[in-house]
Amino acid sequence: MSSNIAIELRNITKRFGSIIANNNVSLSVSKGEILSILGENGSGKTTLMNMISGIYYPDEGSILINGEEVVISSPKDAFKYKIGMIHQHFKLVDVFSATENIVLGNEDKSLANIKTAEAKVTEISSLYGFDIDPKKKVYNMSVSEKQTVEIIKVLYRGADILILDEPTAVLTPQETEKLFSVLRRMRDQGKSIIIITHKLHEVLSLSDKVAVLRKGEYVGTVETVGTNESELTEMMVGKKITLNIERSAVENPVKRLEVKHISCKNREGVQVLNDISFDAYGGEILGIAGIAGSGQRELLESIAGLQHLTEGEILYNNPKTNQQDNLRDKTPLQIRDLGVRLSFVPEDRLGMGLVGNMDIIDNMMLRSYSKGKSLFLERTGPKNLAAKIINDLQVVTPDATTPVRQLSGGNVQKVLVGREISSSPKVLMAAYPVRGLDINSSYLIYNLLNQQKENGTAVIFVGEDLDVLIELCDRILVIGSGSITGVVDARTTTKEEIGLLMTKSKAAGEGV
């Protein structure tokens, strides 16, 4: 075996009861190499990485580090073998500084001297090109700065093998390119980097090689310079897939929603929306772009009646009555009954929107339960709806009576999104509907949103991938620090223009 291989997996198998998450997987990563792991939802990517990082233990097979077989039964073991994983959701203490978070939990007693630790953090930052203030408190940091702290944390512990889970999900294009520059520099310094991502264009621009999993099994590894998006997608799903969002022209747009000078504060009294105004049209997809935490969630929740407004009004042009309804005066249930639906895909899908112990049919019934007029609940409609969603969105499940907590995260998400789209709303707000979904599932959702647009629905789409926003939407509203910083034509704008607007903090002007 080549001495250049940093980590090798041989015939790894992992079972959870009767479910085989990984089956006889073998792959390797060389020193000074960036490897991307691709696969559909439920293909076993996260399970495989969790075995490398010590969260799970394989039922069969072996892991070799620098040519020697090792046992990794805990994250502590992983650190011993210089393996560090940077999770998508950061594990930082807000009131601590960057350095305090980096040394937290480190058993080296000599690190009690914070000045010495800060000097080492500065040294690591200089070596790889990180831009971080060792004394800065986490609560004052941007998302990219928090991610930097997480990366430096594992480097501080001597990691030579780094695993990054969806590292660009909440970054602007400029922050993404900056991260890529750092990762390339780390690769050039001899580090081995494994990335889990669903963004194929990023895979092609950053990786040296791409390993593909399908239904828990290893399909193969290809060199990035010799492949393309279509080939990678075919390897993932086992058949040719057309990666094309067919954006139709906007025809006969009808003003459906008028948001006028709305503002609101969160529970702590902090201003989260400041003088927001825009219109949404039936027959159009309006995209909303912004750095995570800029007010996107509060904006949609305000329209859905879930946020208390301190100022402004939200006018809904009701096609049934040809009258205007001020949604600010309505309850969330009244707003839903008018045809304004919010499909918000949270980080905790089972904590919001769906009940994990209920099956798919019962989760469909949650939307109509309050309308029940009989002692016995009617199940035919929800049962048919569940079957339609399973078929249309290719939900992987034994049947419609399976509790949703037994489904993979991506399949739970399909049920959540499909339920809202199926209600034929007049205004559909879809927030992060493809978060964490594989490329094939994502395009199914994009096409469903386009169908809603062609049916005359006003679609408001909040997404994390600027390439998708530009390709899917007709207009893009950019929000920064709770204010609108600009509105652009999706057909003529660029990622760079949107990225610059995302980092602004003051409104760019009226005429939205």
Side-chain angles (χ1 to χ4, degrees), residues 129-428:
F130 292 110
D131 183 14
I132 193 72
D133 178 358
K135 299 180 180 180
K136 191 171 185 178
K137 300 291 187 181
V138 168
Y139 60 75
N140 285 326
M141 292 183 182
S142 66
V143 174
S144 63
E145 287 176 314
K146 293 176 183 178
Q147 184 182 68
T148 296
V149 173
E150 289 282 19
I151 296 174
I152 294 178
K153 188 195 297 185
V154 299
L155 291 172
Y156 198 103
R157 288 163 169 74
D160 287 330
I161 300 168
L162 287 85
I163 305 168
L164 293 91
D165 185 9
E166 299 284 352
T168 67
V170 292
L171 301 182
T172 67
Q174 290 84 352
E175 290 169 337
T176 296
E177 189 49 50
K178 191 173 183 179
L179 172 65
F180 285 2
S181 296
V182 169
L183 295 178
R184 293 184 185 106
R185 192 173 293 116
M186 291 168 61
R187 173 193 61 191
D188 295 342
Q189 295 280 349
K191 302 292 185 185
S192 302
I193 300 169
I194 304 173
I195 291 182
I196 302 173
T197 179
H198 290 100
K199 300 179 181 180
L200 292 181
H201 61 280
E202 292 183 356
V203 169
L204 295 172
S205 68
L206 177 66
S207 309
D208 299 301
K209 293 181 180 178
V210 186
V212 180
L213 300 181
R214 187 196 309 150
K215 297 180 179 178
E217 298 188 350
Y218 172 68
V219 176
T221 299
V222 296
E223 295 201 4
T224 309
V225 293
T227 190
N228 53 53
E229 291 190 10
S230 296
E231 181 182 352
L232 292 175
T233 304
E234 186 175 349
M235 289 179 69
M236 281 194 291
V237 302
K239 59 183 179 181
K240 288 187 178 295
I241 297 291
T242 302
L243 298 178
N244 182 35
I245 300 175
E246 297 182 0
R247 175 173 51 195
S248 57
V250 178
E251 297 182 2
N252 303 317
V254 177
K255 187 181 292 186
R256 190 62 62 208
L257 204 64
E258 301 177 43
V259 177
K260 295 187 174 183
H261 306 289
I262 66 170
S263 297
C264 76
K265 297 179 180 179
N266 62 17
R267 292 178 179 176
E268 290 74 36
V270 177
Q271 193 88 17
V272 289
L273 293 179
N274 182 28
D275 194 26
I276 297 282
S277 297
F278 68 90
D279 297 328
Y281 292 84
E284 173 194 67
I285 298 180
L286 174 66
I288 298 181
I291 298 171
S294 294
Q296 303 96 311
R297 175 175 182 159
E298 290 81 4
L299 175 58
L300 299 196
E301 288 184 347
S302 295
I303 298 171
L306 300 173
Q307 286 279 351
H308 173 69
L309 296 180
T310 56
E311 294 179 30
E313 57 184 0
I314 302 170
L315 302 178
Y316 170 64
N317 297 317
N318 193 327
K320 291 184 179 179
T321 63
N322 291 321
Q323 301 291 323
Q324 276 194 337
D325 292 300
N326 190 347
L327 300 188
R328 185 175 176 178
D329 301 329
K330 308 292 184 186
T331 66
L333 280 177
Q334 289 174 327
I335 292 171
R336 280 180 45 79
D337 289 342
L338 287 172
V340 179
R341 298 297 179 104
L342 169 61
S343 175
F344 185 89
V345 178
E347 294 171 1
D348 180 10
R349 302 175 181 95
L350 296 182
M352 293 176 62
L354 297 175
V355 179
N357 288 329
M358 286 185 174
D359 62 27
I360 300 175
I361 297 173
D362 287 342
N363 271 283
M364 297 303 109
M365 292 177 67
L366 288 176
R367 285 303 189 214
S368 56
Y369 175 78
S370 62
K371 297 180 181 180
K373 298 179 181 179
S374 137
L375 179 64
F376 302 100
L377 293 176
E378 194 276 321
R379 293 178 62 88
T380 303
K383 183 177 180 180
N384 292 339
L385 176 56
K388 177 175 172 54
I389 290 174
I390 290 170
N391 180 67
D392 291 352
L393 296 184
Q394 301 174 18
V395 178
V396 179
T397 179
D399 54 49
T401 61
T402 301
V404 296
R405 61 178 168 77
Q406 294 182 9
L407 306 181
S408 72
N411 286 302
V412 169
Q413 189 162 319
K414 290 179 185 179
V415 174
L416 183 62
V417 174
R419 183 180 64 184
E420 299 305 328
I421 291 178
S422 66
S423 65
S424 301
K426 298 303 179 183
V427 177
L428 173 64

